Amino acid sequence: MKSVKILIATALLLLPACVAAQFSQPGSETGFMLKVEAGYMPFIGHVGEAPEGGYAISQFHNAANLNVMAGANISQDWFLGGGAGFLYYHNTGQQLAEPMMGVNVFADFDFRPIWKGVMGVDYQPVTIKWAPEVGGRLGGSILLDGMNFSPMAEVYTGINWYYAHGLRNMAHNWHSFYLTIGVAYMQQAVFLPVRLGWRW
């Protein structure tokens, strides 16, 4: 069983590299993009029946998180790629528990709509500094203590600040800082991730 978990973990770790290679020669409407983000994930609660031996995250651990993603910026407003993240689970309650380390590997997408309408006609402004963002992730979560594997899923929303003067339809116009909040599931637990990121 342990060898199967190692094979699954290895395959998931190769996902970001495959996505990066797929988009290494982007077309005219596609550009290679990197995203780096740091965040904090408060524990919300457990989901489902406790397995034999109890929940993997049994002491209501919160998690500090660092993610790196690579992929394609498509038509300026869409991102599709893969990523990997490191998690430091720790308990801040009165009954302190030992911290744990974890790794997430996932496919990531987001959409940053900036189209506007005037009198029924859509247009794309050349100067815009702020845009909303919605996105999601799907992949796997591994607790390094015992190599405990589980699926992970996340949805999030937030806001982007295009710091390069907010220029649209020009080179590197999608460089931005962003702030997101979401809901994530992994290891039979639900978290509320809040993240600050940089895309370029």
Side-chain angles (χ1 to χ4, degrees), residues 120-138:
V121 177
D122 288 338
Y123 77 100
Q124 196 172 33
V126 294
T127 59
I128 187 168
K129 291 188 176 182
W130 300 92
E133 174 179 353
V134 293
R137 292 172 181 165
L138 193 62

Side-chain angles (χ1 to χ4, degrees), residues 1-16 41 56-57 63-67 83-89 99-106 138-153 185-189 191:
M1 186 65 176
K2 185 175 181 180
S3 60
V4 173
K5 289 182 179 179
I6 292 173
L7 286 173
I8 293 172
T10 303
L12 288 172
L13 288 172
L14 290 175
L15 176 64
M41 302 170 53
I57 300 175
N65 179 222
L66 179 66
N67 293 328
F86 173 78
L87 298 100
Y88 175 76
Y89 296 94
M100 299 181 291
M101 308 294 178
V103 174
N104 287 350
V105 182
F106 50 86
L138 193 62
S141 172
I142 304 167
L143 282 178
L144 299 182
D145 181 16
M147 294 298 287
N148 191 59
F149 174 82
S150 88
M152 65 86 61
Y185 166 83
M186 65 193 79
Q187 304 293 341
Q188 287 190 275
F191 296 87

Side-chain angles (χ1 to χ4, degrees), residues 20-198:
Q22 180 181 357
F23 294 114
S24 61
Q25 297 180 348
S28 59
E29 293 295 315
T30 305
F32 183 75
M33 176 182 283
L34 290 172
K35 298 193 328 186
V36 176
E37 60 187 25
Y40 195 73
M41 302 170 53
F43 176 88
I44 300 300
H46 289 114
V47 176
E49 294 282 336
E52 186 177 345
Y55 293 107
I57 300 175
S58 60
Q59 299 297 322
F60 308 102
H61 290 73
N62 299 323
N65 179 222
L66 179 66
N67 293 328
V68 177
M69 290 140 286
N73 189 55
I74 304 167
S75 298
Q76 301 193 60
D77 298 333
W78 294 87
F79 172 79
L80 177 62
F86 173 78
L87 298 100
Y88 175 76
Y89 296 94
H90 63 285
N91 182 291
T92 56
Q94 294 180 352
Q95 297 179 344
L96 296 179
E98 288 295 318
M100 299 181 291
M101 308 294 178
V103 174
N104 287 350
V105 182
F106 50 86
D108 178 36
F109 81 92
D110 68 51
F111 176 52
R112 308 170 311 278
I114 56 87
W115 289 92
K116 293 187 176 181
V118 176
M119 298 178 66
V121 177
D122 288 338
Y123 77 100
Q124 196 172 33
V126 294
T127 59
I128 187 168
K129 291 188 176 182
W130 300 92
E133 174 179 353
V134 293
R137 292 172 181 165
L138 193 62
S141 172
I142 304 167
L143 282 178
L144 299 182
D145 181 16
M147 294 298 287
N148 191 59
F149 174 82
S150 88
M152 65 86 61
E154 180 179 334
V155 292
Y156 57 88
T157 186
I159 191 164
N160 283 263
W161 172 52
Y162 295 102
Y163 59 84
H165 309 295
L167 298 179
R168 301 294 299 174
N169 298 314
M170 297 182 68
H172 309 302
N173 58 1
W174 33 256
H175 290 202
S176 68
F177 292 106
Y178 59 90
L179 178 67
T180 63
I181 184 169
V183 177
Y185 166 83
M186 65 193 79
Q187 304 293 341
Q188 287 190 275
V190 176
F191 296 87
L192 187 71
V194 179
R195 299 194 177 100
L196 179 63
W198 178 34

